[in-house]
Amino acid sequence: MSVKILALVGSLRSGSHNRQLAEAARENAPADVEIEIFEGLGDVPFYNEDVDGEGSAPEAAARLRAATAQADALLLLSPEYNGTMSAVLNNAIDWLSRPFGAGVISDKPTAVIGTAFGQYGGVWAQDEARKSAGVAGARIIEDVKLSIPGSMTRFAELHPADDAEVVEQVTEVLGKLAANIDG
């Protein structure tokens, strides 16, 4: 059975280390796991119930919902901005949670990982992302965690896909997330 995991990267920066971490996950996924990195989170407007009528969600939000519905699980990659997750990641969770209780995120196996400049690798942001996604209805896989500190120096000249320790950790994360998919 092939497993499809949708990666949502909470950083829009072109040189984002979290984007690179998602690429490392895609490149090193187990043979039966496919990672799709969602493109276009920056195009998803801030959630506004006034524009979210049945069948009339903005195109970018509809694409996000469709991609999530087709995925077996979610992998959220969160940078840490001012001690919490990015607005773009929280906004994606908001769109996926609607209609509340029946959004495409409901009961979707979800893991949160990431890297940040600080000495703790963004754990506060990742905890906030787990909390937000869990309240939205996702099934958070609590024992699947990866926080890589010192991203600005660690990945200054080395892509995460070329870091043997990161590759091993990401492969373990994907294996655990895939094992939590009902199928």
Side-chain angles (χ1 to χ4, degrees):
M1 176 180 101
S2 182
V3 170
K4 184 174 182 180
I5 298 173
L6 182 66
L8 302 180
V9 180
S11 174
L12 302 178
R13 186 172 62 86
S14 63
S16 164
H17 295 122
N18 281 284
R19 169 64 187 220
Q20 292 175 0
L21 187 58
E23 292 166 355
R26 183 179 59 203
E27 292 171 24
N28 293 285
D32 60 340
V33 176
E34 174 192 350
I35 306 294
E36 176 189 346
I37 301 171
F38 184 81
E39 302 294 346
L41 276 187
D43 299 329
V44 178
F46 281 113
Y47 185 78
N48 177 349
E49 195 171 16
D50 291 342
V51 299
D52 189 20
E54 188 172 327
S56 67
E59 190 272 333
R63 280 191 319 99
L64 173 62
R65 284 177 172 164
T68 301
Q70 293 171 2
D72 297 307
L74 290 175
L75 180 66
L76 307 181
L77 293 100
S78 183
E80 189 167 274
Y81 295 166
N82 300 314
T84 192
M85 75 174 130
S86 67
V88 72
L89 184 57
N90 197 60
N91 186 53
I93 294 168
D94 288 346
W95 277 102
L96 297 176
S97 72
R98 302 298 195 273
F100 189 75
V104 292
I105 200 170
S106 292
D107 203 36
K108 186 79 63 176
T110 302
V112 181
I113 66 172
T115 185
F117 179 66
Q119 65 181 345
Y120 302 111
V123 294
W124 289 350
Q126 293 171 35
D127 287 345
E128 291 297 318
R130 283 184 198 89
K131 176 183 170 186
S132 181
V135 169
R139 183 163 41 98
I140 303 299
I141 311 303
E142 289 291 344
D143 66 336
V144 179
K145 296 180 180 179
L146 175 59
S147 301
I148 303 169
S151 62
M152 297 299 282
T153 53
R154 183 168 187 165
F155 303 126
E157 297 182 23
L158 181 69
H159 191 285
D162 298 323
D163 183 317
E165 180 183 18
V166 170
V167 168
E168 180 181 331
Q169 292 170 328
V170 166
T171 302
E172 183 178 335
V173 161
L174 296 175
K176 286 181 179 179
L177 181 55
N180 278 280
I181 295 170
D182 301 328

mmCIF file of all heavy atoms in Angstrom, residues 94-139:
data_model
loop_
_atom_site.group_PDB
_atom_site.id
_atom_site.type_symbol
_atom_site.label_atom_id
_atom_site.label_comp_id
_atom_site.label_asym_id
_atom_site.label_seq_id
_atom_site.Cartn_x
_atom_site.Cartn_y
_atom_site.Cartn_z
ATOM 1 N N ASP A 94 -6.623 26.897 9.732
ATOM 2 C CA ASP A 94 -7.966 27.492 9.808
ATOM 3 C C ASP A 94 -8.814 27.066 8.608
ATOM 4 O O ASP A 94 -9.969 26.645 8.775
ATOM 5 C CB ASP A 94 -7.884 29.018 9.858
ATOM 6 C CG ASP A 94 -7.372 29.546 11.197
ATOM 7 O OD1 ASP A 94 -7.318 28.776 12.178
ATOM 8 O OD2 ASP A 94 -7.015 30.741 11.250
ATOM 9 N N TRP A 95 -8.276 27.175 7.402
ATOM 10 C CA TRP A 95 -9.033 26.785 6.204
ATOM 11 C C TRP A 95 -9.373 25.295 6.222
ATOM 12 O O TRP A 95 -10.476 24.899 5.833
ATOM 13 C CB TRP A 95 -8.257 27.130 4.927
ATOM 14 C CG TRP A 95 -8.431 28.560 4.520
ATOM 15 C CD1 TRP A 95 -7.535 29.584 4.705
ATOM 16 C CD2 TRP A 95 -9.560 29.145 3.888
ATOM 17 N NE1 TRP A 95 -8.052 30.756 4.212
ATOM 18 C CE2 TRP A 95 -9.302 30.523 3.709
ATOM 19 C CE3 TRP A 95 -10.783 28.640 3.442
ATOM 20 C CZ2 TRP A 95 -10.208 31.384 3.110
ATOM 21 C CZ3 TRP A 95 -11.687 29.504 2.832
ATOM 22 C CH2 TRP A 95 -11.395 30.857 2.673
ATOM 23 N N LEU A 96 -8.427 24.471 6.678
ATOM 24 C CA LEU A 96 -8.652 23.021 6.672
ATOM 25 C C LEU A 96 -9.659 22.577 7.723
ATOM 26 O O LEU A 96 -10.222 21.493 7.630
ATOM 27 C CB LEU A 96 -7.325 22.287 6.866
ATOM 28 C CG LEU A 96 -6.290 22.507 5.765
ATOM 29 C CD1 LEU A 96 -4.980 21.816 6.120
ATOM 30 C CD2 LEU A 96 -6.819 22.035 4.409
ATOM 31 N N SER A 97 -9.877 23.418 8.723
ATOM 32 C CA SER A 97 -10.772 23.048 9.823
ATOM 33 C C SER A 97 -12.246 23.309 9.516
ATOM 34 O O SER A 97 -13.109 22.872 10.278
ATOM 35 C CB SER A 97 -10.395 23.822 11.089
ATOM 36 O OG SER A 97 -10.745 25.195 10.974
ATOM 37 N N ARG A 98 -12.515 24.011 8.445
ATOM 38 C CA ARG A 98 -13.896 24.400 8.148
ATOM 39 C C ARG A 98 -14.522 23.510 7.103
ATOM 40 O O ARG A 98 -13.829 23.113 6.174
ATOM 41 C CB ARG A 98 -13.961 25.862 7.689
ATOM 42 C CG ARG A 98 -13.403 26.859 8.683
ATOM 43 C CD ARG A 98 -14.182 26.852 9.990
ATOM 44 N NE ARG A 98 -13.912 28.001 10.834
ATOM 45 C CZ ARG A 98 -12.921 28.085 11.727
ATOM 46 N NH1 ARG A 98 -12.082 27.096 11.880
ATOM 47 N NH2 ARG A 98 -12.793 29.159 12.469
ATOM 48 N N PRO A 99 -15.802 23.186 7.185
ATOM 49 C CA PRO A 99 -16.671 23.542 8.294
ATOM 50 C C PRO A 99 -16.238 22.819 9.563
ATOM 51 O O PRO A 99 -15.825 21.650 9.514
ATOM 52 C CB PRO A 99 -18.069 23.115 7.852
ATOM 53 C CG PRO A 99 -17.851 22.085 6.792
ATOM 54 C CD PRO A 99 -16.517 22.398 6.174
ATOM 55 N N PHE A 100 -16.314 23.528 10.688
ATOM 56 C CA PHE A 100 -15.816 22.997 11.947
ATOM 57 C C PHE A 100 -16.448 21.642 12.249
ATOM 58 O O PHE A 100 -17.638 21.455 12.131
ATOM 59 C CB PHE A 100 -16.076 23.975 13.101
ATOM 60 C CG PHE A 100 -15.375 23.543 14.361
ATOM 61 C CD1 PHE A 100 -14.007 23.715 14.483
ATOM 62 C CD2 PHE A 100 -16.072 22.931 15.377
ATOM 63 C CE1 PHE A 100 -13.340 23.297 15.631
ATOM 64 C CE2 PHE A 100 -15.416 22.512 16.525
ATOM 65 C CZ PHE A 100 -14.050 22.699 16.657
ATOM 66 N N GLY A 101 -15.594 20.708 12.602
ATOM 67 C CA GLY A 101 -16.041 19.356 12.909
ATOM 68 C C GLY A 101 -16.129 18.455 11.692
ATOM 69 O O GLY A 101 -16.223 17.240 11.826
ATOM 70 N N ALA A 102 -16.118 19.053 10.503
ATOM 71 C CA ALA A 102 -16.220 18.259 9.278
ATOM 72 C C ALA A 102 -15.198 18.699 8.236
ATOM 73 O O ALA A 102 -15.325 18.350 7.066
ATOM 74 C CB ALA A 102 -17.632 18.367 8.709
ATOM 75 N N GLY A 103 -14.194 19.456 8.649
ATOM 76 C CA GLY A 103 -13.157 19.897 7.724
ATOM 77 C C GLY A 103 -12.293 18.727 7.278
ATOM 78 O O GLY A 103 -12.291 17.663 7.894
ATOM 79 N N VAL A 104 -11.537 18.924 6.209
ATOM 80 C CA VAL A 104 -10.705 17.849 5.657
ATOM 81 C C VAL A 104 -9.568 17.448 6.589
ATOM 82 O O VAL A 104 -8.965 16.391 6.401
ATOM 83 C CB VAL A 104 -10.147 18.204 4.262
ATOM 84 C CG1 VAL A 104 -11.260 18.265 3.238
ATOM 85 C CG2 VAL A 104 -9.338 19.473 4.296
ATOM 86 N N ILE A 105 -9.309 18.241 7.610
ATOM 87 C CA ILE A 105 -8.265 17.898 8.573
ATOM 88 C C ILE A 105 -8.779 16.933 9.648
ATOM 89 O O ILE A 105 -7.990 16.305 10.353
ATOM 90 C CB ILE A 105 -7.667 19.173 9.223
ATOM 91 C CG1 ILE A 105 -6.288 18.865 9.821
ATOM 92 C CG2 ILE A 105 -8.614 19.778 10.248
ATOM 93 C CD1 ILE A 105 -5.521 20.100 10.253
ATOM 94 N N SER A 106 -10.098 16.790 9.737
ATOM 95 C CA SER A 106 -10.695 15.951 10.777
ATOM 96 C C SER A 106 -10.164 14.524 10.726
ATOM 97 O O SER A 106 -10.236 13.860 9.692
ATOM 98 C CB SER A 106 -12.226 15.929 10.643
ATOM 99 O OG SER A 106 -12.749 17.194 10.946
ATOM 100 N N ASP A 107 -9.596 14.097 11.832
ATOM 101 C CA ASP A 107 -9.051 12.753 12.037
ATOM 102 C C ASP A 107 -7.893 12.412 11.088
ATOM 103 O O ASP A 107 -7.531 11.258 10.925
ATOM 104 C CB ASP A 107 -10.146 11.690 11.941
ATOM 105 C CG ASP A 107 -9.741 10.412 12.673
ATOM 106 O OD1 ASP A 107 -9.081 10.489 13.724
ATOM 107 O OD2 ASP A 107 -10.061 9.311 12.165
ATOM 108 N N LYS A 108 -7.308 13.418 10.463
ATOM 109 C CA LYS A 108 -6.172 13.208 9.557
ATOM 110 C C LYS A 108 -4.920 13.032 10.410
ATOM 111 O O LYS A 108 -4.569 13.918 11.187
ATOM 112 C CB LYS A 108 -6.015 14.417 8.629
ATOM 113 C CG LYS A 108 -4.972 14.284 7.546
ATOM 114 C CD LYS A 108 -5.410 13.469 6.372
ATOM 115 C CE LYS A 108 -6.573 14.036 5.620
ATOM 116 N NZ LYS A 108 -6.912 13.264 4.408
ATOM 117 N N PRO A 109 -4.213 11.889 10.294
ATOM 118 C CA PRO A 109 -2.961 11.724 11.044
ATOM 119 C C PRO A 109 -2.001 12.859 10.687
ATOM 120 O O PRO A 109 -1.777 13.138 9.511
ATOM 121 C CB PRO A 109 -2.422 10.377 10.565
ATOM 122 C CG PRO A 109 -3.623 9.656 10.036
ATOM 123 C CD PRO A 109 -4.512 10.726 9.468
ATOM 124 N N THR A 110 -1.472 13.515 11.713
ATOM 125 C CA THR A 110 -0.668 14.717 11.510
ATOM 126 C C THR A 110 0.546 14.719 12.424
ATOM 127 O O THR A 110 0.421 14.460 13.621
ATOM 128 C CB THR A 110 -1.520 15.984 11.776
ATOM 129 O OG1 THR A 110 -2.653 15.963 10.906
ATOM 130 C CG2 THR A 110 -0.727 17.250 11.566
ATOM 131 N N ALA A 111 1.694 15.028 11.842
ATOM 132 C CA ALA A 111 2.928 15.189 12.611
ATOM 133 C C ALA A 111 3.477 16.582 12.342
ATOM 134 O O ALA A 111 3.266 17.142 11.264
ATOM 135 C CB ALA A 111 3.950 14.129 12.212
ATOM 136 N N VAL A 112 4.183 17.120 13.325
ATOM 137 C CA VAL A 112 4.772 18.455 13.206
ATOM 138 C C VAL A 112 6.266 18.345 13.486
ATOM 139 O O VAL A 112 6.672 17.799 14.512
ATOM 140 C CB VAL A 112 4.131 19.450 14.200
ATOM 141 C CG1 VAL A 112 4.749 20.835 14.031
ATOM 142 C CG2 VAL A 112 2.623 19.503 14.022
ATOM 143 N N ILE A 113 7.055 18.863 12.551
ATOM 144 C CA ILE A 113 8.500 18.892 12.708
ATOM 145 C C ILE A 113 9.001 20.264 12.262
ATOM 146 O O ILE A 113 8.228 21.057 11.736
ATOM 147 C CB ILE A 113 9.217 17.777 11.907
ATOM 148 C CG1 ILE A 113 9.052 17.988 10.402
ATOM 149 C CG2 ILE A 113 8.689 16.399 12.327
ATOM 150 C CD1 ILE A 113 9.896 17.035 9.543
ATOM 151 N N GLY A 114 10.282 20.522 12.454
ATOM 152 C CA GLY A 114 10.808 21.770 11.942
ATOM 153 C C GLY A 114 12.206 22.072 12.422
ATOM 154 O O GLY A 114 12.801 21.328 13.203
ATOM 155 N N THR A 115 12.688 23.181 11.927
ATOM 156 C CA THR A 115 14.007 23.665 12.296
ATOM 157 C C THR A 115 13.907 25.174 12.492
ATOM 158 O O THR A 115 13.080 25.839 11.867
ATOM 159 C CB THR A 115 15.072 23.299 11.239
ATOM 160 O OG1 THR A 115 16.361 23.704 11.707
ATOM 161 C CG2 THR A 115 14.786 23.912 9.898
ATOM 162 N N ALA A 116 14.734 25.672 13.399
ATOM 163 C CA ALA A 116 14.750 27.112 13.675
ATOM 164 C C ALA A 116 16.138 27.509 14.132
ATOM 165 O O ALA A 116 16.958 26.659 14.513
ATOM 166 C CB ALA A 116 13.708 27.468 14.728
ATOM 167 N N PHE A 117 16.406 28.792 14.106
ATOM 168 C CA PHE A 117 17.712 29.310 14.461
ATOM 169 C C PHE A 117 18.065 29.073 15.923
ATOM 170 O O PHE A 117 19.210 28.804 16.258
ATOM 171 C CB PHE A 117 17.782 30.808 14.149
ATOM 172 C CG PHE A 117 19.102 31.428 14.515
ATOM 173 C CD1 PHE A 117 20.263 31.053 13.852
ATOM 174 C CD2 PHE A 117 19.191 32.359 15.533
ATOM 175 C CE1 PHE A 117 21.492 31.605 14.194
ATOM 176 C CE2 PHE A 117 20.410 32.925 15.878
ATOM 177 C CZ PHE A 117 21.559 32.542 15.201
ATOM 178 N N GLY A 118 17.105 29.151 16.813
ATOM 179 C CA GLY A 118 17.352 29.058 18.253
ATOM 180 C C GLY A 118 17.872 27.702 18.705
ATOM 181 O O GLY A 118 17.885 26.726 17.960
ATOM 182 N N GLN A 119 18.238 27.662 19.974
ATOM 183 C CA GLN A 119 18.857 26.458 20.538
ATOM 184 C C GLN A 119 17.878 25.299 20.743
ATOM 185 O O GLN A 119 18.302 24.177 21.005
ATOM 186 C CB GLN A 119 19.550 26.795 21.856
ATOM 187 C CG GLN A 119 18.623 27.231 22.969
ATOM 188 C CD GLN A 119 19.372 27.564 24.248
ATOM 189 O OE1 GLN A 119 20.533 27.214 24.405
ATOM 190 N NE2 GLN A 119 18.705 28.257 25.166
ATOM 191 N N TYR A 120 16.584 25.557 20.626
ATOM 192 C CA TYR A 120 15.609 24.482 20.823
ATOM 193 C C TYR A 120 14.943 24.035 19.526
ATOM 194 O O TYR A 120 14.077 23.167 19.540
ATOM 195 C CB TYR A 120 14.554 24.895 21.853
ATOM 196 C CG TYR A 120 15.172 25.244 23.188
ATOM 197 C CD1 TYR A 120 15.171 26.540 23.657
ATOM 198 C CD2 TYR A 120 15.799 24.263 23.959
ATOM 199 C CE1 TYR A 120 15.757 26.870 24.870
ATOM 200 C CE2 TYR A 120 16.392 24.579 25.169
ATOM 201 C CZ TYR A 120 16.373 25.882 25.619
ATOM 202 O OH TYR A 120 16.962 26.203 26.810
ATOM 203 N N GLY A 121 15.296 24.633 18.430
ATOM 204 C CA GLY A 121 14.809 24.174 17.133
ATOM 205 C C GLY A 121 13.357 24.464 16.845
ATOM 206 O O GLY A 121 12.754 23.815 16.000
ATOM 207 N N GLY A 122 12.778 25.420 17.553
ATOM 208 C CA GLY A 122 11.391 25.790 17.262
ATOM 209 C C GLY A 122 10.345 24.995 18.010
ATOM 210 O O GLY A 122 9.198 24.920 17.569
ATOM 211 N N VAL A 123 10.693 24.410 19.158
ATOM 212 C CA VAL A 123 9.729 23.557 19.864
ATOM 213 C C VAL A 123 8.461 24.306 20.267
ATOM 214 O O VAL A 123 7.374 23.729 20.238
ATOM 215 C CB VAL A 123 10.342 22.831 21.085
ATOM 216 C CG1 VAL A 123 11.385 21.824 20.654
ATOM 217 C CG2 VAL A 123 10.900 23.800 22.099
ATOM 218 N N TRP A 124 8.570 25.592 20.620
ATOM 219 C CA TRP A 124 7.353 26.339 20.985
ATOM 220 C C TRP A 124 6.417 26.426 19.794
ATOM 221 O O TRP A 124 5.210 26.209 19.931
ATOM 222 C CB TRP A 124 7.701 27.740 21.462
ATOM 223 C CG TRP A 124 8.375 27.835 22.788
ATOM 224 C CD1 TRP A 124 8.552 26.835 23.703
ATOM 225 C CD2 TRP A 124 8.958 29.000 23.358
ATOM 226 N NE1 TRP A 124 9.225 27.315 24.794
ATOM 227 C CE2 TRP A 124 9.484 28.645 24.615
ATOM 228 C CE3 TRP A 124 9.103 30.317 22.925
ATOM 229 C CZ2 TRP A 124 10.120 29.557 25.443
ATOM 230 C CZ3 TRP A 124 9.739 31.229 23.751
ATOM 231 C CH2 TRP A 124 10.234 30.850 24.994
ATOM 232 N N ALA A 125 6.954 26.757 18.656
ATOM 233 C CA ALA A 125 6.131 26.866 17.452
ATOM 234 C C ALA A 125 5.511 25.522 17.099
ATOM 235 O O ALA A 125 4.329 25.445 16.737
ATOM 236 C CB ALA A 125 6.970 27.378 16.286
ATOM 237 N N GLN A 126 6.284 24.474 17.208
ATOM 238 C CA GLN A 126 5.769 23.146 16.884
ATOM 239 C C GLN A 126 4.679 22.728 17.865
ATOM 240 O O GLN A 126 3.671 22.130 17.463
ATOM 241 C CB GLN A 126 6.906 22.143 16.850
ATOM 242 C CG GLN A 126 7.849 22.408 15.692
ATOM 243 C CD GLN A 126 9.101 21.575 15.762
ATOM 244 O OE1 GLN A 126 9.077 20.436 16.201
ATOM 245 N NE2 GLN A 126 10.216 22.150 15.332
ATOM 246 N N ASP A 127 4.864 23.054 19.147
ATOM 247 C CA ASP A 127 3.814 22.759 20.128
ATOM 248 C C ASP A 127 2.534 23.516 19.799
ATOM 249 O O ASP A 127 1.428 22.965 19.904
ATOM 250 C CB ASP A 127 4.284 23.097 21.543
ATOM 251 C CG ASP A 127 5.312 22.113 22.086
ATOM 252 O OD1 ASP A 127 5.469 21.007 21.510
ATOM 253 O OD2 ASP A 127 5.962 22.454 23.103
ATOM 254 N N GLU A 128 2.676 24.787 19.389
ATOM 255 C CA GLU A 128 1.507 25.582 19.012
ATOM 256 C C GLU A 128 0.834 25.012 17.761
ATOM 257 O O GLU A 128 -0.397 24.998 17.663
ATOM 258 C CB GLU A 128 1.892 27.046 18.796
ATOM 259 C CG GLU A 128 2.284 27.763 20.068
ATOM 260 C CD GLU A 128 1.158 27.869 21.083
ATOM 261 O OE1 GLU A 128 0.008 28.152 20.689
ATOM 262 O OE2 GLU A 128 1.424 27.660 22.275
ATOM 263 N N ALA A 129 1.613 24.549 16.810
ATOM 264 C CA ALA A 129 1.046 23.955 15.596
ATOM 265 C C ALA A 129 0.289 22.663 15.940
ATOM 266 O O ALA A 129 -0.798 22.418 15.401
ATOM 267 C CB ALA A 129 2.144 23.679 14.568
ATOM 268 N N ARG A 130 0.857 21.859 16.841
ATOM 269 C CA ARG A 130 0.156 20.640 17.270
ATOM 270 C C ARG A 130 -1.169 21.002 17.946
ATOM 271 O O ARG A 130 -2.197 20.378 17.702
ATOM 272 C CB ARG A 130 1.021 19.831 18.233
ATOM 273 C CG ARG A 130 2.101 19.051 17.575
ATOM 274 C CD ARG A 130 2.880 18.180 18.600
ATOM 275 N NE ARG A 130 4.136 17.805 17.993
ATOM 276 C CZ ARG A 130 5.265 18.521 18.075
ATOM 277 N NH1 ARG A 130 5.314 19.618 18.807
ATOM 278 N NH2 ARG A 130 6.350 18.119 17.449
ATOM 279 N N LYS A 131 -1.111 22.009 18.811
ATOM 280 C CA LYS A 131 -2.320 22.439 19.524
ATOM 281 C C LYS A 131 -3.378 22.915 18.536
ATOM 282 O O LYS A 131 -4.530 22.481 18.601
ATOM 283 C CB LYS A 131 -1.962 23.548 20.508
ATOM 284 C CG LYS A 131 -3.150 24.129 21.239
ATOM 285 C CD LYS A 131 -2.702 25.269 22.141
ATOM 286 C CE LYS A 131 -3.874 26.029 22.713
ATOM 287 N NZ LYS A 131 -3.426 27.209 23.456
ATOM 288 N N SER A 132 -3.013 23.807 17.627
ATOM 289 C CA SER A 132 -3.962 24.363 16.664
ATOM 290 C C SER A 132 -4.560 23.271 15.780
ATOM 291 O O SER A 132 -5.775 23.200 15.593
ATOM 292 C CB SER A 132 -3.279 25.433 15.817
ATOM 293 O OG SER A 132 -4.179 25.994 14.893
ATOM 294 N N ALA A 133 -3.708 22.422 15.228
ATOM 295 C CA ALA A 133 -4.195 21.343 14.357
ATOM 296 C C ALA A 133 -5.073 20.362 15.134
ATOM 297 O O ALA A 133 -6.075 19.877 14.613
ATOM 298 C CB ALA A 133 -3.023 20.626 13.695
ATOM 299 N N GLY A 134 -4.696 20.089 16.387
ATOM 300 C CA GLY A 134 -5.495 19.184 17.211
ATOM 301 C C GLY A 134 -6.875 19.749 17.515
ATOM 302 O O GLY A 134 -7.887 19.043 17.419
ATOM 303 N N VAL A 135 -6.937 21.023 17.862
ATOM 304 C CA VAL A 135 -8.226 21.673 18.108
ATOM 305 C C VAL A 135 -9.055 21.669 16.824
ATOM 306 O O VAL A 135 -10.277 21.501 16.858
ATOM 307 C CB VAL A 135 -8.027 23.114 18.643
ATOM 308 C CG1 VAL A 135 -9.335 23.890 18.637
ATOM 309 C CG2 VAL A 135 -7.422 23.081 20.051
ATOM 310 N N ALA A 136 -8.391 21.810 15.683
ATOM 311 C CA ALA A 136 -9.079 21.801 14.382
ATOM 312 C C ALA A 136 -9.606 20.417 14.009
ATOM 313 O O ALA A 136 -10.368 20.284 13.069
ATOM 314 C CB ALA A 136 -8.140 22.309 13.296
ATOM 315 N N GLY A 137 -9.170 19.390 14.741
ATOM 316 C CA GLY A 137 -9.691 18.046 14.495
ATOM 317 C C GLY A 137 -8.692 17.031 14.000
ATOM 318 O O GLY A 137 -9.019 15.861 13.824
ATOM 319 N N ALA A 138 -7.452 17.462 13.717
ATOM 320 C CA ALA A 138 -6.438 16.510 13.250
ATOM 321 C C ALA A 138 -6.125 15.495 14.352
ATOM 322 O O ALA A 138 -6.262 15.790 15.543
ATOM 323 C CB ALA A 138 -5.164 17.253 12.860
ATOM 324 N N ARG A 139 -5.707 14.323 13.929
ATOM 325 C CA ARG A 139 -5.251 13.308 14.885
ATOM 326 C C ARG A 139 -3.733 13.458 15.003
ATOM 327 O O ARG A 139 -2.978 12.965 14.172
ATOM 328 C CB ARG A 139 -5.626 11.901 14.410
ATOM 329 C CG ARG A 139 -5.230 10.816 15.410
ATOM 330 C CD ARG A 139 -5.940 9.488 15.154
ATOM 331 N NE ARG A 139 -6.050 9.106 13.780
ATOM 332 C CZ ARG A 139 -5.221 8.245 13.160
ATOM 333 N NH1 ARG A 139 -4.214 7.715 13.798
ATOM 334 N NH2 ARG A 139 -5.432 7.930 11.895
#
